[in-house]
């Protein structure tokens, strides 16, 4: 109902009376007023004048379904969006609601107070400056194929960012870089049995409108944002939808024909690693190797001391 009221306000450039809305929607005028109050709480600036009605003056920069759906072309990914002003971590939350939530649910927060990277590392997620979201999926694939979805997600983000015409590279397995600095990180987590995935949560963090001065000393030299690279604010709503649109299109292809070739092509053609010497860190050791390519199963092909090896995941630094 709140969305319907918002749509009526959005499509009118004059005042809409409470009575008119109450007739149209079949609810009382006090119910209309309650929904208007909720919208104001979300940040919509709505002017109300006695005898005249309500007028939408300003729409907030928030990543709710009401704001994103105008750009969304998906069948199911992002059709249920759970939006939070502040949360510990969207991945953590998505895992707690996974069993009772529909496939394709997206959890989005304006701010994360305990955003996480891999191995429990911190992910900096300031309020209203990025896209901090998690996609919940329930695919009928083998747990051993789950890592392919990290690559597929990276390729989706790449596709969505392509229009900005920047020097964007995918750093296998889970980073997107602009001018060699990290603009996006992906964290895929799953709950699975040996042969069956219960659910997957794919967390995507993108630095959108963060200023250079807002990165702490530890990140200043290795992180960037779209705003830093482009020089002006970017529409987070459109970008969020574009990522979900691109993701669903690659994901459906993968589910239907087990075909990941398109995502692989993007990851290969725009790889930050291929043909470079990198340092690989495993829990046991670290060593330098040359990256040869990305295999059809999405593992990284490296040449280590003359031997060709494959990595399924890992810490790779340039
Ligand atoms: C990642 O881990 O890159 C995965 C990041 C996933 C974040 C999303 S946001 C929505 C969802 N909810 C969550 O709680 N997480 C996901 P990793 O490869 O381990 O990289 C972590 C490292 O990146 C840190 O140790 C920092 O050095 C660096 N880092 C932290 N915050 C950053 C930021 N905002 N931008 C760039 N680099 C950052």
């Amino acid at each position: 109902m709140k969305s319907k009221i918002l749509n009526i306000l959005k499509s009118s450039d004059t005042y809409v009376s409470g009575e008119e809305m109450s007739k149209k929607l079949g609810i009382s005028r006090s119910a209309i007023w309650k929904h208007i109050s909720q919208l104001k709480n979300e940040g919509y600036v709505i002017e109300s004048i006695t005898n005249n009605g309500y007028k939408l003056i300003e729409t907030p920069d928030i990543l709710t379904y009401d704001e994103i759906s105008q750009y969304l072309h998906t069948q199911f990914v992002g059709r249920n969006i759970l939006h939070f002003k502040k949360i510990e971590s969207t991945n953590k939350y998505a895992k707690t609601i996974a069993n009772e939530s529909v496939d394709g649910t997206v959890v989005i927060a304006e701010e994360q107070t305990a955003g996480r990277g891999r191995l429990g590392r911190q992910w900096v997620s300031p309020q209203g400056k990025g896209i901090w979201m998690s996609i919940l999926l329930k695919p009928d694939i083998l747990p051993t194929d789950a890592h392919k979805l990290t690559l597929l997600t990276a390729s989706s983000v790449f596709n969505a960012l392509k229009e900005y015409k920047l020097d964007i590279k995918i750093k296998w397995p889970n980073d997107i870089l602009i001018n060699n600095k990290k603009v996006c990180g992906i964290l895929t987590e799953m709950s699975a049995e040996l042969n069956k995935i219960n659910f997957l949560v794919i967390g995507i963090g993108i630095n959108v409108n963060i200023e250079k001065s807002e990165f702490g000393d530890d990140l200043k030299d290795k992180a960037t944002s779209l705003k830093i690279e482009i020089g002006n604010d970017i529409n987070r709503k459109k970008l969020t939808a574009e990522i979900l649109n691109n993701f669903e299109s690659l994901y459906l292809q993968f589910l239907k024909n087990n075909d990941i070739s398109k995502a692989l092509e993007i990851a290969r053609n725009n790889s930050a690693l291929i043909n470079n010497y990198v340092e690989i860190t495993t829990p046991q050791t670290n060593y330098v190797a040359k990256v040869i390519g990305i295999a059809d199963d999405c593992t990284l092909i490296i040449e280590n001391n003359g031997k060709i090896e494959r990595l399924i995941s890992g810490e790779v630094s340039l």
Side-chain angles (χ1 to χ4, degrees), residues 89-103:
S89 149
T90 55
N91 262 39
K92 187 173 172 190
Y93 184 77
K95 287 188 280 182
T96 66
I97 54 144
N99 289 329
E100 63 272 15
S101 301
V102 291
D103 196 12

Side-chain angles (χ1 to χ4, degrees), residues 17 53 64 90 107 115 176 191 257 315:
S17 76
T64 54
T90 55
V107 181
I176 310 279
S191 153
N257 306 319
E315 214 52 58

